[in-house]
Amino acid sequence: MLKISLCFNRKDFEYDVYSLIKAFYPGCEITSWYSFEEAPDGEFAYYDTVRYEDQSITYTVENHDKEQLACKKAEVTYDRDRQETKNVLKRLVYRTMTEVTGQKLPWGNLTGIRPTKIPMKLLEEGWKNADIAEYMRRTYDTSNEKTALAITIANREREILKTIDYEHGYSLYVGIPFCPSICLYCSFGSHVLGKWSHMVEPYLDALIRELTFISERMKDYTLDTIYIGGGTPTTLNADQMNRLLTEITGLFPMEQVQEFTVEAGRPDTITEEVLSVIRRFPVTRISINPQTMNQETLDIIGRRHTVEETIGKFLLARSLGFDNINMDLIVGLPGEDGEKVAHTLKEIEKLNPDSLTVHSLALKRATRLNLFRDQYQEISFENSAQIMQMAMDTAHRMEMGPYYMYRQKNIAGNFENVGYARDGKAGIYNILIMEEKQSIMAAGAGASTKFVFEHGNRIERVENVKDLKNYVERIDEMIERKRIGMEKYLQ
């Protein structure tokens, strides 16, 4: 394993540099230290110096691998704005790494998870698309393709959100933390239903108490979107789903709601009885998520359903009248090459969903795929610009355009997750949570409430505990956390 040591003269921007180098060397081991400490051993030692005197920034690379770069030094002037200082440093680091490795990254030196926030902000300031593109390429070294993608999505997001009141509106997230099994790549706080079925009713009791509190305290705000996610919400049986949706539609003013999504998620949880219950309520959008249409991969990642089940449950939903169905795919799953992804896309195109979300696999620390990665060393993980383009081309053939995007740490190929949708079928909640334009009240175990205030310039989070038993037993504490947050941030 390649070992890299990062030396800093002060505690500033370490994480930004760390993330950028990780993008070039995903499997490397990085150690950070400071100039007054003893240097650790490293096959490739990178030394960074940031100085603030005389309005200049000095950046030095001293490489101890003789076959690579011996020494590089750069000095530029900058204003005293912290963000600009960070941009200058990251640009210098990125350009050095492209020399060392001979490769460029599609998103340049951008390491954040919300790249569309940059063009969105500039559009709101009145910038033209061409000027935004030039700024992004100059500041962040983004490729022409990713620059165009970000700007295209930002423009569509603005159009979709034009009727949303950021200041006096909010969205509601409702978490159902149960699944039939835990997928190999999953990092969410899910509980296997077979083991925790006895907790479903107590959980719903606590969840409805929290929802009741939110409805009472937020009655002076406009509820724009509702999203029931998980876990897998359709692990609830028909009676339980009916109870939950009855409570939600009774507690909240549904005439205000522009979008109401229920994740059907795993095909092995979908039944005609549950879908029929959902159809009786003003749910406008569901998501049926195959992730892949290759059975061998489904078996590896622990999905425990068949390709045939995915097709059958999708057609069932259509027959019951659902006219806005999203499907999620993951690119970069173990053992999947371009040919297998092409097969998945071909099968999805036959089904013709209304929106398609294409995720690039991200190996998060808490996933079983990462925790037990030694077991999967012989399996390839592939993603490429060609595969991402193939997904985009498929979406375009289904008359879908990109409408939201986000990135994750350790994402396959340094690419992104993109949502495609036909006109009128985009997921408004998805845009709101990524662009952080509006407060989101979140109920349920592990749910994270996000307060957006001071005209979008400040964001604070209030977390619920993830543990199921703790959530139920400490529901009064969860409600109190929200009450404090509402009084403090929603003034």
Side-chain angles (χ1 to χ4, degrees), residues 36 57 69 72 78 112 147 178 202 212 230 233 249 280 291 293 378 387 436:
F36 50 82
I57 178 171
L69 192 66
K72 182 178 180 69
Y78 71 98
T147 300
F178 301 99
T212 301
T249 54
R280 293 203 294 268
Q291 312 305 7
M293 297 295 270
E378 302 303 318
I387 289 176
E436 299 181 317

Side-chain angles (χ1 to χ4, degrees), residues 100-147:
V100 171
T101 64
Q103 65 171 313
K104 293 183 178 180
L105 303 177
W107 285 102
N109 66 63
L110 280 177
T111 54
I113 67 173
R114 296 177 173 88
T116 52
K117 291 187 79 169
I118 298 167
M120 175 71 90
K121 180 176 183 294
L122 297 178
L123 283 170
E124 290 172 344
E125 292 175 1
W127 286 46
K128 297 186 181 301
N129 289 337
D131 295 330
I132 296 172
E134 196 278 331
Y135 170 81
M136 289 187 68
R137 289 192 292 264
R138 183 184 70 247
T139 307
Y140 304 108
D141 288 298
T142 51
S143 68
N144 291 336
E145 294 77 13
K146 298 309 177 188
T147 300

Side-chain angles (χ1 to χ4, degrees), residues 183-218:
C183 298
L184 198 62
Y185 52 79
C186 182
S187 62
F188 295 106
S190 298
H191 298 71
V192 176
L193 185 64
K195 181 180 178 180
W196 294 95
S197 59
H198 65 285
M199 288 295 294
V200 175
E201 292 296 342
Y203 179 79
L204 289 176
D205 291 342
L207 179 64
I208 290 167
R209 284 188 59 192
E210 189 175 14
L211 289 170
T212 301
F213 170 79
I214 293 171
S215 69
E216 292 171 351
R217 294 301 294 262
M218 298 299 291

Side-chain angles (χ1 to χ4, degrees), residues 211-249:
L211 289 170
T212 301
F213 170 79
I214 293 171
S215 69
E216 292 171 351
R217 294 301 294 262
M218 298 299 291
K219 61 185 178 182
D220 294 331
Y221 289 78
T222 299
L223 175 59
D224 291 303
T225 73
I226 302 173
Y227 193 100
I228 303 180
T232 307
T234 43
T235 51
L236 299 180
N237 63 36
D239 288 340
Q240 292 162 344
M241 181 65 75
N242 183 73
R243 178 189 178 194
L244 176 63
L245 294 179
T246 298
E247 292 289 349
I248 290 174
T249 54

Side-chain angles (χ1 to χ4, degrees), residues 293-307:
M293 297 295 270
N294 294 290
Q295 191 61 51
E296 181 182 1
T297 311
L298 288 172
D299 295 339
I300 290 173
I301 63 178
R303 290 287 282 185
R304 297 187 183 175
H305 64 81
T306 65
V307 172

Side-chain angles (χ1 to χ4, degrees), residues 152-153 156 395-396 399-404 418-423:
T152 297
I153 289 174
R156 191 172 183 191
H396 287 168
E399 300 182 338
M400 299 178 191
Y403 76 92
Y404 96 109
V418 183
Y420 300 92
R422 296 192 178 102
D423 288 343

